[in-house]
Amino acid sequence: MLEFLIQNNIVCHAVEAMLFASIACSVLAVVITQINISSIGFTMAHAAFAGAAVGIFFSINATLAAILAGLIVAVLLGPLSERAKISPDTALGVMFGMTMAIAIFFIAYMQSLGRGFDASGLMFGDVVSLFREEIYGLAVISIVTILFIIIFYKEITAIIFNQKIAEAAGIRVRPVYYAMLFMIALTVALCINIIGGLLLYVWLVTPAAIAVQFCNSIKQMFIVAPIIGAIVSVSGALTGLEYGLPVSPLTAVLFSILFAAAIILSPRRRISMRKE
Amino acid sequence: MSIHGQKDNAVVVLDHVFTAYEGAEHPTIRDLSLTIKQGEYVIIGGPNGAGKTTLLETINGMLPITHGKATICGMALAGDGVHVRQKVGYLIQNFAFSPLTPFTVRDVVMMGRYGGLGLFTRPGDADYRAAEEAMKSLGVEDMADIPIGQLSGGQQQKVLIAHNLAKNPRVLLLDEPFSNLDLFARERISHLLESLAKKGVTIIIVSHAFDDLPDRPIHILVMKNGTLIHDTTCAPGDVEAQVRKSSA
């Protein structure tokens, strides 16, 4: 898609993958950080990681298995915390531990069977060995994510503001909330090969955490966060490939440096010294 | 005339209603029957934990009715109650917004219109006009572009009342609306509620403060242990005495 800009095919594919993954993740990061469900993003990233490991073990498509695992977590999350009378945080903690254990079990078992499975791609991402179909999948998910936000903008923003007030206003909170979880699960599963299960969390939180330092409205955040995500991710991909550095970890570090700078420079944290 | 002798202009009719919070073993509201007519100014009193807020959340359908029947604005309260909430405003108690909340006053007031629009429908000119009018009626129009988290508690309270007014509710439920407000804001909101009641909006307030009541008959409901122990109408000057006497 971007061959007209970048001649080298490997670099071009890596940049495309990082661009689309970062747009989808950064848009959802606004939702995740503003509803304070960062733990959900974290758990889903690990569920997708576990799903992919299970998929590889049973020779099923890893991406499909990751999507399925993410969806199972999304479906179980609400009822588990509601019906089991435990806090969502505890439910997430249990699920996180379980998914991580499943992932490690299958990875270790495959290695003990001598199946020569290298889990580093799943854990830390791999931007250079992607199939073209995976990049198309990422392009589609980034477009679908943006359309989802546009179509349900008023419901999503009301839920982000305050779920109880949204419900009292007559908004159908529950179906939209579960649709948001579904979108997060789908995006996480599709991005796991590029960014990695252990680092995906950075993409699902930090772009929005940076954007909120400079934005007064949620609309601005939905525009600024993906721009930040895309610029940092593409810069990370180009720099990593140019100097032979691991792309995902490098980009995650860049995000963190930018976040520290944003905190220092944030006009929303500045104390005015004006007398008038 | 129908149950409990209410007239046709009844907007809230609860008939032997029981309500329970999800997971609770015992009902929070038990065998409660009442009728509230259109345009009435209702005060709900009673000690802490009596079920006053639960009653408000029963009327707007946020809590499930386990036994009995409820009819709000002519609609039977069933399912998730979302249709009722599109006609009923509800000012919640105990809210706090971070200074970094990325929602301006205008955004929050506009959200009051969203429920009535339904999925897939975007707000139109009429919605923006209704939001502007609601902001003006509460005197918060000059703060329209300020993030709500940067306002004081009292200003936030006014914005949330404007949010509820924006939907042109037939019934307005307010949980401690005068807390956080200064003297002038209390007077302003009290006058506003009185004018709304005159226009036919039913005002139902949970409050421990009985100043600033309008000069009109006040319908008093006193709750204790999840049941209604007193249901009468009196002059505004007698409200506190009535609530004290029945709560004792």
Side-chain angles (χ1 to χ4, degrees):
Chain A
M1 283 170 266
L2 297 176
E3 288 85 357
F4 65 99
L5 280 175
I6 303 163
Q7 309 301 320
N8 184 318
N9 252 349
I10 293 173
V11 177
C12 182
H13 287 178
V15 167
E16 285 171 353
M18 288 296 266
L19 177 69
F20 296 131
S22 64
I23 289 172
C25 289
S26 306
V27 167
L28 292 173
V30 176
V31 174
I32 289 169
T33 56
Q34 295 304 305
I35 309 185
N36 287 325
I37 52 169
S38 304
S39 313
I40 290 181
F42 193 53
T43 307
M44 286 207 177
H46 288 83
F49 177 46
V54 173
I56 291 166
F57 180 81
F58 288 108
S59 304
I60 307 165
N61 183 308
T63 306
L64 281 181
I67 291 172
L68 193 64
L71 293 182
I72 289 170
V73 167
V75 168
L76 286 181
L77 209 58
L80 187 66
S81 54
E82 281 169 18
R83 303 222 174 115
K85 295 181 200 170
I86 52 176
S87 74
D89 197 46
T90 307
L92 283 166
V94 170
M95 284 185 144
F96 166 67
M98 183 186 72
T99 52
M100 199 64 192
I102 290 171
I104 292 167
F105 174 84
F106 279 99
I107 289 166
Y109 191 44
M110 275 188 277
Q111 285 169 344
S112 74
L113 291 175
R115 285 174 59 174
F117 173 65
D118 179 11
S120 64
L122 276 185
M123 285 196 275
F124 311 118
D126 182 2
V127 291
V128 294
S129 52
L130 293 169
F131 293 111
R132 184 134 277 287
E133 292 75 21
E134 289 179 279
I135 297 172
Y136 287 142
L138 286 168
V140 170
I141 196 66
S142 61
I143 292 166
V144 170
T145 305
I146 291 168
L147 286 177
F148 173 73
I149 298 293
I150 291 171
I151 291 169
F152 296 107
Y153 183 77
K154 64 182 196 305
E155 288 79 15
I156 290 169
T157 51
I159 292 169
I160 289 174
F161 174 62
N162 186 298
Q163 282 188 53
K164 188 163 187 181
I165 292 174
E167 197 182 348
I171 291 165
R172 294 181 191 278
V173 170
R174 205 169 271 206
V176 176
Y177 185 81
Y178 279 101
M180 288 194 294
L181 292 187
F182 175 78
M183 286 303 301
I184 294 168
L186 203 58
T187 304
V188 161
L190 287 171
C191 292
I192 198 160
N193 281 343
I194 301 112
I195 296 168
L198 295 185
L199 293 171
L200 196 51
Y201 187 60
V202 176
W203 273 257
L204 291 172
V205 172
T206 315
I210 296 167
V212 78
Q213 306 304 324
F214 302 96
C215 298
N216 273 340
S217 76
I218 194 76
K219 191 181 274 182
Q220 288 171 359
M221 278 191 77
F222 275 122
I223 296 166
V224 172
I227 291 172
I228 291 170
I231 290 171
V232 174
S233 300
V234 170
S235 306
L238 290 171
T239 311
L241 292 172
E242 177 71 23
Y243 296 103
L245 302 168
V247 170
S248 268
L250 173 70
T251 312
V253 170
L254 287 178
F255 268 124
S256 305
I257 292 169
L258 196 61
F259 174 69
I263 292 283
I264 294 165
L265 299 172
S266 171
R268 301 192 68 187
R269 291 175 184 275
R270 209 168 288 157
I271 296 168
S272 174
M273 300 303 282
R274 289 167 61 177
K275 290 187 173 175
E276 290 178 10
Chain B
M1 300 285 278
S2 54
I3 55 169
H4 306 300
Q6 84 272 23
K7 291 176 185 166
D8 291 337
N9 64 352
V11 287
V12 176
V13 182
L14 303 187
D15 182 16
H16 299 287
V17 160
F18 289 70
T19 312
Y21 281 100
E22 203 163 329
E25 284 184 31
H26 303 288
T28 313
I29 280 185
R30 297 193 308 275
D31 199 19
L32 195 147
S33 298
L34 60 82
T35 299
I36 297 170
K37 293 176 204 160
Q38 186 185 351
E40 274 196 305
Y41 198 107
V42 183
I43 293 284
I44 304 175
N48 292 332
K52 304 186 292 294
T53 299
T54 310
L55 176 57
L56 294 187
E57 295 188 358
T58 302
I59 291 171
N60 82 349
M62 286 172 80
L63 289 178
I65 291 173
T66 53
H67 300 282
K69 275 192 268 180
T71 307
I72 314 296
C73 302
M75 292 177 280
L77 196 51
D80 61 4
V82 76
H83 296 294
V84 165
R85 288 196 289 281
Q86 289 164 3
K87 309 273 182 207
V88 176
Y90 176 38
L91 175 72
I92 63 167
Q93 193 188 10
N94 299 332
F95 51 81
F97 305 113
S98 152
L100 287 178
T101 298
F103 290 97
T104 63
V105 167
R106 182 179 278 111
D107 293 335
V108 175
V109 176
M110 265 307 290
M111 283 174 200
R113 303 286 299 174
Y114 289 172
L117 293 173
L119 291 170
F120 309 116
T121 309
R122 296 195 159 278
D125 288 344
D127 301 300
Y128 289 105
R129 272 199 304 276
E132 290 296 329
E133 281 170 24
M135 284 193 286
K136 278 182 191 158
S137 65
L138 269 298
V140 295
E141 72 274 22
D142 293 340
M143 306 168 190
D145 296 318
I146 298 174
I148 189 170
Q150 292 178 12
L151 304 181
S152 70
Q155 289 169 327
Q156 290 178 1
Q157 183 100 318
K158 287 199 269 187
V159 173
L160 289 187
I161 294 173
H163 159 95
N164 280 294
L165 288 187
K167 72 159 100 164
N168 295 324
R170 289 184 62 193
V171 178
L172 190 52
L173 311 172
L174 304 116
D175 201 349
E176 300 285 0
F178 300 114
S179 58
N180 296 324
L181 296 181
D182 62 38
L183 186 67
F184 302 108
R186 285 171 65 145
E187 275 179 13
R188 180 174 195 145
I189 288 169
S190 184
H191 288 143
L192 176 73
L193 296 178
E194 186 179 0
S195 70
L196 287 170
K198 279 181 185 162
K199 287 177 194 166
V201 178
T202 306
I203 308 293
I204 305 176
I205 301 176
V206 166
S207 183
H208 293 288
F210 306 111
D211 308 328
D212 304 311
L213 290 174
D215 187 19
R216 55 178 290 145
I218 307 292
H219 185 165
I220 306 170
L221 302 169
V222 182
M223 301 278 298
K224 195 172 184 179
N225 297 328
T227 57
L228 184 63
I229 57 168
H230 197 56
D231 182 350
T232 190
T233 299
C234 68
D238 298 332
V239 169
E240 187 162 357
Q242 288 276 351
V243 173
R244 279 182 184 280
K245 197 172 100 184
S246 51
S247 301

